[in-house]
Amino acid sequence: MAAVEQESAARPPRPLWRRVVGPAFSVVLVVAVYAWFLPQFTSLSDVWTAIDAMTAVELVVLGLAAIWNLATYQFVMVTTMPGMTLRQATVSTETRTAVSNTLVGGSAIALGLTYAMNSSWGFSRSRTSVSLLVSGLWNNFAKLGLPVLALALLAFSAPPTAGRLLAGALGLAGLAAAAVLLWVALRSRASAAALGRWLARLVSALLRLVHRGPVTGWDRALTKFRDRTVLLLQARWHWLTLATLVSHLSLFLVLLLALRFVGVDSAQVSWTEALAVFAFARLLTAVPFTPGGLGVIELALITGLSAAGGERAEVAAAVLVFRLLTYVLPIPIGVVTYLFWQRNRSWRRAPNTAPRTELVPETV
């Protein structure tokens, strides 16, 4: 451990251009989507007309769906964080979402904030690490699985094309490979170590192509991951799977309601087509080009739903309403939950004093 810390301390800082290029690219991308693409794609006055035509009842239903979507974030956290209450999970997840949605590199900042919050409530860093690892893993499983599910549903509603079949096969192969790797990692300490060594050799071979040194210690890292997570996953994998699916599908529900309420009916874009576009757009967020996928998600959804048959102005209106409720709305809520955490002392505990659980070994 000391050697790793010395190596990290001795590592030179990244050049200035590398620190600037990421934020600059994010700004250029967002400006290009909103200031150039959207006005070129459709009439902004027609977009506003479609939004303004929604009834009060439709706005209330959309608001309730958006609130429910935000509430589902907590289900995953309480499942992966034994001992945490729903109220604590709400404060943590909403604050983390607000930070991720507003700051370039916000995911890393939100990660540190999560550790700080959980530590203030007495949870160990080990338990927080397990929660973040497992929830992130299942979230990526869902991102891989939803496109496969959507393409399978489309195959029953329309003749499958070669492109759909290829995309479905690739997605299914990726999902199956990830599931097999996870099973091998959790099977035993020996299999986890063997998998770590194999992955290290594979990655090292790829790094040699770009003249980078080999990676080491992956066998120990994967064994440690297995020791930390195996009991939790054996006990709660089904609840975690259900909570993750509910969270992703609740987000899709907000999009589908927005489409229907602005006038995009099922004759233009069926719910299965909308699910397919949504799933592939969500897959793009696996690479954090911009905070919260700003610009990237809008571009993918608008072009995909329009290609499926939706009117351009109505599709753009639905996507903007969807992003207002799922990207913008969590920001002020997250500010409130952050201030609540700062001021509220009744939940505070000394570090590592939260009730212990057998599902997450604290000493591993």
Side-chain angles (χ1 to χ4, degrees):
M1 180 64 72
V4 173
E5 291 177 352
Q6 291 174 0
E7 182 181 346
S8 298
R11 187 179 300 163
R14 290 190 306 166
L16 178 61
W17 70 269
R18 294 188 64 180
R19 284 178 281 162
V20 171
V21 69
F25 174 76
S26 298
V27 171
V28 170
L29 181 58
V30 172
V31 171
V33 170
Y34 277 95
W36 179 80
F37 165 75
L38 197 55
Q40 295 287 330
F41 187 78
T42 187
S43 167
L44 295 183
S45 61
D46 290 344
V47 171
W48 173 247
T49 299
I51 295 175
D52 191 50
M54 287 192 292
T55 67
V57 173
E58 290 170 340
L59 291 173
V60 169
V61 171
L62 267 174
L64 292 174
I67 293 171
W68 165 253
N69 171 61
L70 293 177
T72 62
Y73 297 174
Q74 285 67 264
F75 300 156
V76 174
M77 191 163 193
V78 296
T79 303
T80 59
M81 193 80 174
M84 177 167 282
T85 67
L86 272 172
R87 290 183 298 172
Q88 289 172 329
T90 299
V91 172
S92 180
T93 56
E94 298 305 330
T95 304
R96 184 172 63 197
T97 301
V99 172
S100 298
N101 283 1
T102 52
L103 301 176
V104 176
S107 297
I109 299 172
L111 193 68
L113 191 56
T114 300
Y115 277 102
M117 285 185 163
N118 292 356
S119 178
S120 74
W121 298 328
F123 295 104
S124 66
R125 291 182 62 84
S126 176
R127 206 182 303 189
T128 300
S129 297
V130 168
S131 174
L132 293 171
L133 281 169
V134 172
S135 60
L137 190 62
W138 250 249
N139 183 54
N140 285 324
F141 275 149
K143 287 181 179 180
L144 284 171
L146 275 180
V148 177
L149 173 63
L151 290 172
L153 292 171
L154 279 174
F156 288 103
S157 59
T161 64
R164 288 178 182 174
L165 289 175
L166 177 61
L170 291 175
L172 184 60
L175 186 63
V180 169
L181 290 176
L182 179 63
W183 176 79
V184 172
L186 297 177
R187 185 180 175 211
S188 67
R189 299 185 88 249
S191 62
L195 177 61
R197 288 190 292 269
W198 178 79
L199 289 174
R201 287 195 296 269
L202 177 62
V203 172
S204 296
L206 295 175
L207 289 176
R208 279 198 297 270
L209 299 177
V210 292
H211 308 289
R212 298 282 298 274
V215 297
T216 59
W218 282 32
D219 53 339
R220 295 189 300 274
L222 208 53
T223 302
K224 189 174 183 179
F225 165 79
R226 188 259 176 196
D227 291 340
R228 283 183 170 186
T229 60
V230 64
L231 295 177
L232 179 67
L233 289 176
Q234 286 176 348
R236 297 189 174 185
W237 69 268
H238 47 300
W239 292 115
L240 176 58
T241 302
L242 177 61
T244 304
L245 286 175
V246 167
S247 181
H248 280 255
L249 293 178
S250 296
L251 183 64
F252 169 66
L253 176 63
V254 179
L255 174 64
L256 186 62
L257 289 174
L259 285 168
R260 297 298 181 249
F261 290 165
V262 300
V264 181
D265 58 30
S266 58
Q268 297 174 12
V269 180
S270 67
W271 72 269
T272 51
E273 291 172 324
L275 179 62
V277 175
F278 167 82
F280 281 100
R282 288 283 291 163
L283 199 57
L284 293 176
T285 62
V287 181
F289 293 109
T290 59
L294 184 62
V296 177
I297 297 295
E298 290 85 343
L299 181 63
L301 289 176
I302 290 172
T303 54
L305 293 169
S306 298
E311 292 290 336
R312 288 190 171 192
E314 293 175 348
V315 164
V319 171
L320 291 178
V321 169
F322 167 71
R323 291 294 278 167
L324 176 67
L325 294 173
T326 59
Y327 174 84
V328 178
L329 179 62
I331 295 174
I333 293 176
V335 171
V336 172
T337 55
Y338 174 76
L339 294 175
F340 175 83
W341 171 67
Q342 286 276 318
R343 296 171 182 270
N344 177 52
R345 301 291 170 177
S346 62
W347 297 355
R348 299 296 173 105
R349 292 192 185 106
N352 300 327
T353 58
R356 300 284 175 164
T357 172
E358 295 180 355
L359 297 181
V360 182
E362 303 282 3
T363 57
V364 172

